[in-house]
Amino acid sequence: EKDLVVMRVSVPRGLAEKASLPGSFVFLKAPDEEAFFSVPVSVAAADQENGTVDFVIKVSGPKTESLMRGCGRNGHVELRGIYRNGLLGVEKLLDIAAKKVLCLTKGVGLAPVANYIRWSEGRDKIDLIADLDKVNRRFADDVLEGAVLNSLKYGRLPLNMTWTEEEDYDVIVISASEYFQQNIYVPETKRVLSN
């Protein structure tokens, strides 16, 4: 789509391995641009064997437009990172015990959740509700290809929802704007938020 891009970048295998951890993100920019034009982008998928990392970019302003123009000219991108705090509270997802997890995503917020789902490799029982506002079903299917899920539902995110400590989920991930993060109550002990 003209304003939605899935970009696959060839990287050293060690960098792909680091990028596979949930909450990983980088800064991307066109090689000939100033540092000001760096865009923070979550990792959507990392393939350690082939040395690639996938990113989802919603083209929505001067920085992302510059990135797309610059990469289109020469096929290269400047990558800085790997950074880890793309998901706040990610340590709740990283322990080795199997968990029941609910992921609520909106738009490109699906990307960091897709990376977590792949990292989990079916160990965690994951239910996903994906609001496709400003993205489309083809994008979601591409980003989730090969992901192991317990259930997947496409629909609007519920507002003013409250999850209590007694709920069935061990962890609830909200990968959406601050508006949704503030209007869906999840106890701190269960909550993971996109940054």
Side-chain angles (χ1 to χ4, degrees):
E1 306 260 332
K2 63 180 181 176
D3 66 344
L4 184 64
V5 176
V6 177
M7 179 187 293
R8 177 163 289 155
V9 177
S10 294
V11 298
R13 289 181 179 171
L15 192 126
E17 180 180 0
K18 291 176 185 176
S20 69
L21 285 173
S24 296
F25 74 98
V26 301
F27 284 90
L28 298 177
K29 73 175 191 66
D32 56 343
E33 290 290 359
E34 298 294 324
F36 169 78
F37 282 93
S38 294
V39 180
V41 183
S42 293
V43 172
D47 183 338
Q48 300 168 41
E49 186 176 315
N50 294 309
T52 62
V53 179
D54 293 355
F55 303 100
V56 175
I57 299 157
K58 180 77 173 162
V59 182
S60 60
K63 290 182 179 184
T64 51
E65 288 170 2
S66 167
L67 177 63
M68 292 299 98
R69 270 193 319 273
C71 294
R73 281 194 299 268
N74 61 21
H76 290 88
V77 64
E78 188 174 301
L79 181 150
R80 182 170 38 101
I82 299 293
Y83 298 98
R84 297 271 182 243
N85 63 342
L87 291 173
L88 304 174
V90 71
E91 65 279 354
K92 295 175 185 93
L93 299 173
L94 296 178
D95 65 38
I96 58 171
K99 297 165 283 311
K100 186 168 182 191
V101 179
L102 173 64
C103 297
L104 305 170
T105 71
K106 186 167 175 77
V108 295
L110 181 58
V113 168
N115 193 43
Y116 154 63
I117 293 167
R118 281 189 182 80
W119 174 86
S120 174
E121 295 181 326
R123 182 190 68 242
D124 294 341
K125 187 175 179 184
I126 302 168
D127 295 325
L128 172 62
I129 299 173
D131 187 329
L132 299 182
D133 185 39
K134 300 180 184 170
V135 296
N136 60 49
R137 176 74 180 262
R138 189 179 75 173
F139 155 76
D141 290 343
D142 285 350
V143 170
L144 291 171
E145 185 179 352
V148 179
L149 286 165
N150 182 53
S151 71
L152 170 61
K153 177 183 171 192
Y154 294 119
R156 292 199 143 326
L157 285 189
L159 283 176
N160 299 318
M161 178 181 281
T162 300
W163 298 91
T164 63
E165 290 290 343
E166 294 77 35
E167 290 292 336
D168 202 15
Y169 294 101
D170 300 309
V171 179
I172 299 174
V173 179
I174 305 173
S175 188
S177 69
E178 288 182 20
Y179 175 77
F180 286 92
Q181 293 175 7
Q182 293 168 357
N183 285 287
I184 300 173
Y185 174 76
V186 176
E188 180 69 33
T189 57
K190 294 186 176 197
R191 182 176 62 196
V192 174
L193 303 174
S194 60
N195 189 0

